[in-house]
Amino acid sequence: MTTRVAANGIEIAYESFGSHEGRPLLLIMGLGAQLIHWDEGLCELLADQGHHVVRFDNRDAGLSTHFHDQGVPAMGAPSPYLLDDLADDAAGLMDALGWPAAHVVGASMGGMIAQALAIRHPDRVLTLTSIMSTPGPSVAPPTEAALAALMAAPPADREAVLAQAVRTWSVIGSPGYELDHDRITLLAGLAFDRCFDPEGTARQLAAIMASGDRTLGLAGVRVPTLVLHGEADQLVPVAGGHATAAAVPGARLVTYPGMGHDLPRPLWPSVVAEIAKLTAT
C-alpha cells in the first residue's frame, strides 16, 4: 500500500516490505523513475534477508510532490533544486518513518542522491550502496547511443510511451541478458498510469547537471560502502563505478560482465547477497 507523508516541506509517497523490526533499508530510484521501478520481487528478497525495506518516489516523480510551477529550466538557467535537496527529502522521509538512521541504496541518479545523503547527513547513513552511478555528471559520460535514447522526445500517448520504453532499454539495458520485453512494457504502463510527467524528469536532469562533482565530499564518508556496476553500462559507463569506489575510503567495488543500466533478474541473488553482507556488518 502506498502512503504519503510530509517530509522536507513536500509530500513523499512510499511503500514498505518486511518486518518493521528489520534493519532499515532505504531504496532511492533514478532519473524519471518511480518507486515501482524497484521491482517488488527484489524488495521481497531484500526483506527476506532481515531488512525493513522502503521504496519511495523522489520529488517530481510518481505520487510525490511535483514542481509544476517551475516549468522546465532553460539551458544555462538555474535549476529549481539540486540533488542536495533530494537528499534532504530522503532524510525527511526517514524522520517521518521514525528512523534515526538507515542503510541506504541508490541506483543511477538515486546513487547520486545516496552519495549526497551520506555527505550531508553522515549520522543518518549506516551503510551506503551506490549502484550504476557516478560522483559527478562529467565522470563517465554516456555513449552517443545512450545519450540519444535518454534525450529522445517523450511521446504523448500511452502506447507510444510503451514502445519508446522498449527502444530505450534495448539500448541501455544489459546486453549479456535477454531483454524482458513483457516486464519493460508492464512497468512502463504502470508508470504511465501512475504518473506521466516528462517535465518533472527534465527538472531532475537539470538538478543532476547543476549539482557538480561529489568526489571531495565522498572522501569524508566513513560508513561501509559498496559500489555495484555493470561492465556494459552505456548510460553511466563502468568508469563511474570505479570513480565512486576510489572516492570513498575503503569502498568495495563489484562489477558484473554483461550488465548494463538495469538490474537483470538473474543478478538479483548476487546483488541481494552483497547488500545483505554489507548491512549485517
Side-chain angles (χ1 to χ4, degrees):
M1 183 181 72
T2 304
T3 302
R4 296 185 72 186
V5 294
N8 193 35
I10 65 172
E11 287 198 335
I12 294 180
Y14 76 92
E15 296 178 356
S16 64
F17 299 80
S19 169
H20 285 224
E21 304 304 314
R23 303 191 298 283
L25 185 71
L26 188 68
L27 302 179
I28 310 178
M29 196 22 88
L31 176 67
Q34 303 181 34
L35 61 81
I36 59 173
H37 292 98
W38 288 110
D39 195 283
E40 284 191 13
L42 179 61
C43 293
E44 289 165 354
L45 287 174
L46 288 165
D48 289 343
Q49 293 297 314
H51 299 110
H52 177 200
V53 178
V54 167
R55 61 180 187 175
F56 72 98
D57 290 323
N58 288 309
R59 61 170 66 191
D60 264 333
L63 304 183
S64 292
T65 296
H66 289 244
F67 289 70
H68 299 296
D69 60 333
Q70 299 292 327
V72 177
M75 186 68 68
S79 174
Y81 51 79
L82 300 174
L83 293 180
D84 284 350
D85 296 298
L86 281 86
D88 292 347
D89 293 346
L93 174 58
M94 290 166 59
D95 290 338
L97 293 168
W99 287 359
H103 302 279
V104 179
V105 178
S108 194
M109 181 187 77
M112 303 174 197
I113 297 167
Q115 293 169 22
L117 181 62
I119 293 167
R120 290 174 63 79
H121 304 280
D123 57 327
R124 308 303 299 274
V125 178
L126 298 172
T127 64
L128 170 65
T129 300
S130 180
I131 304 174
M132 50 186 151
S133 195
T134 173
S138 63
V139 180
T143 66
E144 289 186 10
L147 184 61
L150 178 69
M151 302 305 291
D157 66 86
R158 191 178 191 275
E159 290 307 311
V161 167
L162 270 56
Q164 186 184 66
V166 173
R167 290 195 301 272
T168 298
W169 291 107
S170 296
V171 174
I172 68 172
S174 297
Y177 298 85
E178 184 177 356
L179 192 70
D180 191 339
H181 290 80
D182 291 341
R183 179 172 177 267
I184 290 169
T185 302
L186 174 64
L187 274 175
L190 290 172
F192 183 90
D193 295 341
R194 203 166 174 267
C195 175
F196 181 63
D197 183 13
E199 291 190 355
T201 301
R203 288 188 291 272
Q204 290 183 347
L205 181 58
I208 292 173
M209 301 311 295
S211 292
D213 192 282
R214 289 170 297 282
T215 302
L216 290 178
L218 289 172
V221 171
R222 292 294 182 267
V223 298
T225 297
L226 171 67
V227 178
L228 303 177
H229 216 110
E231 295 177 10
D233 194 332
Q234 290 199 61
L235 191 60
V236 181
V238 69
H242 284 280
T244 303
V248 181
R252 181 167 182 262
L253 173 66
V254 178
T255 63
Y256 294 102
M259 173 179 152
H261 202 73
D262 60 0
L263 289 172
R265 189 179 295 268
L267 290 179
W268 289 2
S270 175
V271 169
V272 169
E274 292 288 353
I275 292 173
K277 182 165 61 176
L278 182 75
T279 65
T281 57

